[in-house]
mmCIF file of all heavy atoms in Angstrom:
data_model
loop_
_atom_site.group_PDB
_atom_site.id
_atom_site.type_symbol
_atom_site.label_atom_id
_atom_site.label_comp_id
_atom_site.label_asym_id
_atom_site.label_seq_id
_atom_site.Cartn_x
_atom_site.Cartn_y
_atom_site.Cartn_z
ATOM 1 N N GLU A 31 97.329 85.499 115.643
ATOM 2 C CA GLU A 31 98.533 85.918 116.298
ATOM 3 C C GLU A 31 98.356 87.199 117.046
ATOM 4 O O GLU A 31 98.832 87.280 118.219
ATOM 5 C CB GLU A 31 99.682 86.041 115.320
ATOM 6 C CG GLU A 31 100.212 84.766 114.782
ATOM 7 C CD GLU A 31 101.446 84.866 113.968
ATOM 8 O OE1 GLU A 31 102.251 85.884 114.177
ATOM 9 O OE2 GLU A 31 101.684 84.084 113.025
ATOM 10 N N LEU A 32 97.621 88.088 116.546
ATOM 11 C CA LEU A 32 97.341 89.340 117.208
ATOM 12 C C LEU A 32 96.537 89.158 118.453
ATOM 13 O O LEU A 32 96.699 89.664 119.554
ATOM 14 C CB LEU A 32 96.604 90.334 116.249
ATOM 15 C CG LEU A 32 97.386 91.012 115.148
ATOM 16 C CD1 LEU A 32 96.508 91.727 114.207
ATOM 17 C CD2 LEU A 32 98.414 91.926 115.797
ATOM 18 N N GLN A 33 95.510 88.241 118.371
ATOM 19 C CA GLN A 33 94.673 87.966 119.437
ATOM 20 C C GLN A 33 95.382 87.195 120.546
ATOM 21 O O GLN A 33 95.027 87.436 121.744
ATOM 22 C CB GLN A 33 93.493 87.029 119.040
ATOM 23 C CG GLN A 33 92.478 87.725 118.076
ATOM 24 C CD GLN A 33 91.701 86.740 117.238
ATOM 25 O OE1 GLN A 33 91.917 85.485 117.260
ATOM 26 N NE2 GLN A 33 90.701 87.263 116.475
ATOM 27 N N ALA A 34 96.498 86.517 120.283
ATOM 28 C CA ALA A 34 97.238 85.831 121.306
ATOM 29 C C ALA A 34 98.286 86.694 121.939
ATOM 30 O O ALA A 34 98.914 86.284 123.060
ATOM 31 C CB ALA A 34 97.863 84.528 120.755
ATOM 32 N N LEU A 35 98.611 87.915 121.397
ATOM 33 C CA LEU A 35 99.759 88.626 121.988
ATOM 34 C C LEU A 35 99.471 89.178 123.359
ATOM 35 O O LEU A 35 98.375 89.585 123.624
ATOM 36 C CB LEU A 35 100.040 89.808 121.065
ATOM 37 C CG LEU A 35 100.712 89.597 119.685
ATOM 38 C CD1 LEU A 35 100.810 90.966 118.980
ATOM 39 C CD2 LEU A 35 102.098 89.017 120.038
ATOM 40 N N THR A 36 100.465 89.066 124.177
ATOM 41 C CA THR A 36 100.328 89.732 125.519
ATOM 42 C C THR A 36 101.359 90.893 125.592
ATOM 43 O O THR A 36 101.294 91.613 126.638
ATOM 44 C CB THR A 36 100.634 88.692 126.693
ATOM 45 O OG1 THR A 36 101.950 88.115 126.466
ATOM 46 C CG2 THR A 36 99.519 87.655 126.665
ATOM 47 N N ASN A 37 102.254 90.899 124.703
ATOM 48 C CA ASN A 37 103.206 92.108 124.594
ATOM 49 C C ASN A 37 103.727 92.211 123.231
ATOM 50 O O ASN A 37 103.657 91.355 122.382
ATOM 51 C CB ASN A 37 104.353 91.952 125.647
ATOM 52 C CG ASN A 37 105.243 90.750 125.183
ATOM 53 O OD1 ASN A 37 104.945 89.602 125.348
ATOM 54 N ND2 ASN A 37 106.412 91.125 124.537
ATOM 55 N N ILE A 38 104.118 93.360 122.942
ATOM 56 C CA ILE A 38 104.888 93.699 121.625
ATOM 57 C C ILE A 38 106.129 94.464 121.970
ATOM 58 O O ILE A 38 106.042 95.565 122.335
ATOM 59 C CB ILE A 38 104.003 94.404 120.603
ATOM 60 C CG1 ILE A 38 104.642 94.494 119.247
ATOM 61 C CG2 ILE A 38 103.436 95.724 121.116
ATOM 62 C CD1 ILE A 38 104.432 93.316 118.370
ATOM 63 N N GLY A 39 107.313 93.834 121.965
ATOM 64 C CA GLY A 39 108.489 94.519 122.450
ATOM 65 C C GLY A 39 108.242 94.835 123.936
ATOM 66 O O GLY A 39 107.865 93.974 124.710
ATOM 67 N N PRO A 40 108.669 96.060 124.258
ATOM 68 C CA PRO A 40 108.596 96.391 125.706
ATOM 69 C C PRO A 40 107.095 96.825 126.181
ATOM 70 O O PRO A 40 106.878 97.140 127.289
ATOM 71 C CB PRO A 40 109.505 97.581 125.822
ATOM 72 C CG PRO A 40 109.438 98.216 124.484
ATOM 73 C CD PRO A 40 109.284 97.150 123.455
ATOM 74 N N PHE A 41 106.136 96.789 125.230
ATOM 75 C CA PHE A 41 104.872 97.258 125.509
ATOM 76 C C PHE A 41 104.012 96.017 125.955
ATOM 77 O O PHE A 41 103.830 94.976 125.241
ATOM 78 C CB PHE A 41 104.230 97.870 124.294
ATOM 79 C CG PHE A 41 105.082 99.079 123.939
ATOM 80 C CD1 PHE A 41 105.837 99.089 122.761
ATOM 81 C CD2 PHE A 41 105.054 100.356 124.586
ATOM 82 C CE1 PHE A 41 106.698 100.129 122.365
ATOM 83 C CE2 PHE A 41 105.827 101.353 124.136
ATOM 84 C CZ PHE A 41 106.667 101.221 123.046
ATOM 85 N N ASN A 42 103.183 96.242 127.002
ATOM 86 C CA ASN A 42 102.322 95.235 127.545
ATOM 87 C C ASN A 42 100.931 95.371 126.971
ATOM 88 O O ASN A 42 100.397 96.510 126.804
ATOM 89 C CB ASN A 42 102.187 95.329 129.082
ATOM 90 C CG ASN A 42 103.552 95.411 129.758
ATOM 91 O OD1 ASN A 42 104.370 94.425 129.481
ATOM 92 N ND2 ASN A 42 103.799 96.346 130.520
ATOM 93 N N LEU A 43 100.322 94.326 126.517
ATOM 94 C CA LEU A 43 98.920 94.291 126.025
ATOM 95 C C LEU A 43 98.072 93.530 126.978
ATOM 96 O O LEU A 43 98.119 92.347 127.060
ATOM 97 C CB LEU A 43 98.945 93.616 124.643
ATOM 98 C CG LEU A 43 99.887 94.141 123.622
ATOM 99 C CD1 LEU A 43 99.890 93.322 122.322
ATOM 100 C CD2 LEU A 43 99.725 95.649 123.256
ATOM 101 N N ILE A 44 97.274 94.264 127.775
ATOM 102 C CA ILE A 44 96.753 93.766 129.060
ATOM 103 C C ILE A 44 95.111 93.894 128.930
ATOM 104 O O ILE A 44 94.611 94.715 128.102
ATOM 105 C CB ILE A 44 97.269 94.342 130.351
ATOM 106 C CG1 ILE A 44 97.016 95.828 130.363
ATOM 107 C CG2 ILE A 44 98.728 93.932 130.381
ATOM 108 C CD1 ILE A 44 97.509 96.472 131.679
ATOM 109 N N HIS A 45 94.368 93.253 129.849
ATOM 110 C CA HIS A 45 93.016 93.406 130.043
ATOM 111 C C HIS A 45 92.257 93.154 128.687
ATOM 112 O O HIS A 45 91.519 93.963 128.225
ATOM 113 C CB HIS A 45 92.546 94.812 130.565
ATOM 114 C CG HIS A 45 93.308 95.134 131.814
ATOM 115 N ND1 HIS A 45 93.744 96.381 132.165
ATOM 116 C CD2 HIS A 45 93.727 94.338 132.962
ATOM 117 C CE1 HIS A 45 94.293 96.464 133.359
ATOM 118 N NE2 HIS A 45 94.298 95.151 133.783
ATOM 119 N N PRO A 46 92.374 91.909 128.097
ATOM 120 C CA PRO A 46 91.642 91.569 126.919
ATOM 121 C C PRO A 46 90.197 91.561 127.118
ATOM 122 O O PRO A 46 89.707 91.069 128.099
ATOM 123 C CB PRO A 46 92.222 90.255 126.534
ATOM 124 C CG PRO A 46 92.725 89.601 127.822
ATOM 125 C CD PRO A 46 93.176 90.739 128.657
ATOM 126 N N THR A 156 89.854 94.230 122.346
ATOM 127 C CA THR A 156 90.469 95.379 122.785
ATOM 128 C C THR A 156 91.507 94.948 123.908
ATOM 129 O O THR A 156 91.287 94.110 124.632
ATOM 130 C CB THR A 156 89.538 96.384 123.436
ATOM 131 O OG1 THR A 156 88.431 96.709 122.472
ATOM 132 C CG2 THR A 156 90.216 97.701 123.877
ATOM 133 N N ARG A 157 92.638 95.617 123.858
ATOM 134 C CA ARG A 157 93.669 95.481 124.885
ATOM 135 C C ARG A 157 94.145 96.892 125.307
ATOM 136 O O ARG A 157 94.218 97.779 124.465
ATOM 137 C CB ARG A 157 94.992 94.767 124.326
ATOM 138 C CG ARG A 157 94.688 93.487 123.600
ATOM 139 C CD ARG A 157 94.246 92.362 124.478
ATOM 140 N NE ARG A 157 94.151 91.112 123.757
ATOM 141 C CZ ARG A 157 93.161 90.681 123.088
ATOM 142 N NH1 ARG A 157 91.942 91.336 123.066
ATOM 143 N NH2 ARG A 157 93.147 89.456 122.455
ATOM 144 N N ASP A 158 94.467 97.046 126.530
ATOM 145 C CA ASP A 158 95.087 98.237 127.052
ATOM 146 C C ASP A 158 96.661 98.159 126.767
ATOM 147 O O ASP A 158 97.172 97.040 126.959
ATOM 148 C CB ASP A 158 94.829 98.413 128.570
ATOM 149 C CG ASP A 158 93.478 98.798 128.839
ATOM 150 O OD1 ASP A 158 92.778 99.517 128.055
ATOM 151 O OD2 ASP A 158 92.973 98.410 129.898
ATOM 152 N N VAL A 159 97.216 99.222 126.520
ATOM 153 C CA VAL A 159 98.661 99.194 126.157
ATOM 154 C C VAL A 159 99.354 99.971 127.284
ATOM 155 O O VAL A 159 99.095 101.121 127.554
ATOM 156 C CB VAL A 159 98.950 99.869 124.831
ATOM 157 C CG1 VAL A 159 100.408 99.670 124.420
ATOM 158 C CG2 VAL A 159 98.098 99.201 123.718
ATOM 159 N N THR A 160 100.370 99.304 127.904
ATOM 160 C CA THR A 160 101.177 100.050 128.870
ATOM 161 C C THR A 160 102.665 99.734 128.681
ATOM 162 O O THR A 160 103.015 98.848 127.899
ATOM 163 C CB THR A 160 100.847 99.419 130.329
ATOM 164 O OG1 THR A 160 101.237 98.079 130.425
ATOM 165 C CG2 THR A 160 99.429 99.578 130.647
ATOM 166 N N ARG A 161 103.463 100.454 129.330
ATOM 167 C CA ARG A 161 104.934 100.197 129.306
ATOM 168 C C ARG A 161 105.434 100.586 130.737
ATOM 169 O O ARG A 161 105.163 101.632 131.280
ATOM 170 C CB ARG A 161 105.637 101.010 128.325
ATOM 171 C CG ARG A 161 107.182 100.687 128.227
ATOM 172 C CD ARG A 161 107.833 101.340 127.064
ATOM 173 N NE ARG A 161 109.310 100.901 127.045
ATOM 174 C CZ ARG A 161 110.134 101.366 126.278
ATOM 175 N NH1 ARG A 161 109.825 102.290 125.285
ATOM 176 N NH2 ARG A 161 111.429 100.987 126.234
ATOM 177 N N ALA A 170 97.501 103.911 125.732
ATOM 178 C CA ALA A 170 96.738 103.675 124.430
ATOM 179 C C ALA A 170 95.909 102.381 124.505
ATOM 180 O O ALA A 170 95.955 101.661 125.492
ATOM 181 C CB ALA A 170 97.800 103.446 123.336
ATOM 182 N N GLU A 171 95.019 102.181 123.479
ATOM 183 C CA GLU A 171 94.271 100.938 123.364
ATOM 184 C C GLU A 171 94.637 100.382 122.001
ATOM 185 O O GLU A 171 94.735 101.096 120.987
ATOM 186 C CB GLU A 171 92.792 101.329 123.389
ATOM 187 C CG GLU A 171 92.155 101.424 124.812
ATOM 188 C CD GLU A 171 90.591 101.522 124.702
ATOM 189 O OE1 GLU A 171 90.093 101.727 123.624
ATOM 190 O OE2 GLU A 171 90.018 101.344 125.735
ATOM 191 N N LEU A 172 94.763 99.038 122.034
ATOM 192 C CA LEU A 172 94.828 98.267 120.816
ATOM 193 C C LEU A 172 93.425 97.724 120.594
ATOM 194 O O LEU A 172 92.841 97.048 121.432
ATOM 195 C CB LEU A 172 95.791 97.207 120.973
ATOM 196 C CG LEU A 172 95.788 96.014 119.874
ATOM 197 C CD1 LEU A 172 96.312 96.657 118.525
ATOM 198 C CD2 LEU A 172 96.683 94.891 120.376
ATOM 199 N N ILE A 174 91.295 95.279 117.719
ATOM 200 C CA ILE A 174 91.314 94.389 116.518
ATOM 201 C C ILE A 174 89.888 94.219 116.086
ATOM 202 O O ILE A 174 89.114 93.714 116.787
ATOM 203 C CB ILE A 174 91.893 92.992 116.868
ATOM 204 C CG1 ILE A 174 93.244 93.263 117.510
ATOM 205 C CG2 ILE A 174 92.008 92.136 115.636
ATOM 206 C CD1 ILE A 174 93.736 91.883 118.242
ATOM 207 N N VAL A 193 95.644 101.427 116.855
ATOM 208 C CA VAL A 193 96.220 101.790 118.158
ATOM 209 C C VAL A 193 95.682 103.213 118.400
ATOM 210 O O VAL A 193 96.120 104.124 117.570
ATOM 211 C CB VAL A 193 97.722 101.669 118.135
ATOM 212 C CG1 VAL A 193 98.257 101.986 119.482
ATOM 213 C CG2 VAL A 193 98.275 100.441 117.678
ATOM 214 N N VAL A 207 104.812 102.288 119.341
ATOM 215 C CA VAL A 207 103.977 101.016 119.364
ATOM 216 C C VAL A 207 103.759 100.628 117.900
ATOM 217 O O VAL A 207 103.886 99.418 117.599
ATOM 218 C CB VAL A 207 102.725 101.280 120.154
ATOM 219 C CG1 VAL A 207 101.863 99.881 120.045
ATOM 220 C CG2 VAL A 207 102.950 101.567 121.502
ATOM 221 N N PHE A 211 104.709 96.829 115.777
ATOM 222 C CA PHE A 211 103.761 96.014 115.027
ATOM 223 C C PHE A 211 104.206 95.836 113.561
ATOM 224 O O PHE A 211 104.187 94.740 113.032
ATOM 225 C CB PHE A 211 102.297 96.551 115.070
ATOM 226 C CG PHE A 211 101.556 96.145 116.319
ATOM 227 C CD1 PHE A 211 101.498 97.015 117.364
ATOM 228 C CD2 PHE A 211 101.134 94.913 116.484
ATOM 229 C CE1 PHE A 211 100.787 96.661 118.612
ATOM 230 C CE2 PHE A 211 100.440 94.467 117.687
ATOM 231 C CZ PHE A 211 100.255 95.406 118.726
ATOM 232 N N ARG A 214 107.282 93.494 113.461
ATOM 233 C CA ARG A 214 106.993 92.138 113.742
ATOM 234 C C ARG A 214 106.089 91.511 112.591
ATOM 235 O O ARG A 214 106.332 90.332 112.286
ATOM 236 C CB ARG A 214 106.295 91.975 115.072
ATOM 237 C CG ARG A 214 105.831 90.457 115.347
ATOM 238 C CD ARG A 214 105.608 90.292 116.879
ATOM 239 N NE ARG A 214 105.191 88.993 117.078
ATOM 240 C CZ ARG A 214 105.117 88.444 118.312
ATOM 241 N NH1 ARG A 214 105.599 89.062 119.439
ATOM 242 N NH2 ARG A 214 104.744 87.258 118.505
#
Side-chain angles (χ1 to χ4, degrees):
E31 290 189 27
L32 288 171
Q33 291 160 352
L35 283 178
T36 57
N37 68 281
I38 185 88
F41 301 103
N42 308 307
L43 308 175
I44 61 175
H45 304 143
T156 307
R157 312 285 188 272
D158 291 325
V159 185
T160 67
R161 184 176 182 180
E171 276 189 347
L172 165 70
I174 306 163
V193 184
V207 177
F211 278 101
R214 176 157 179 170

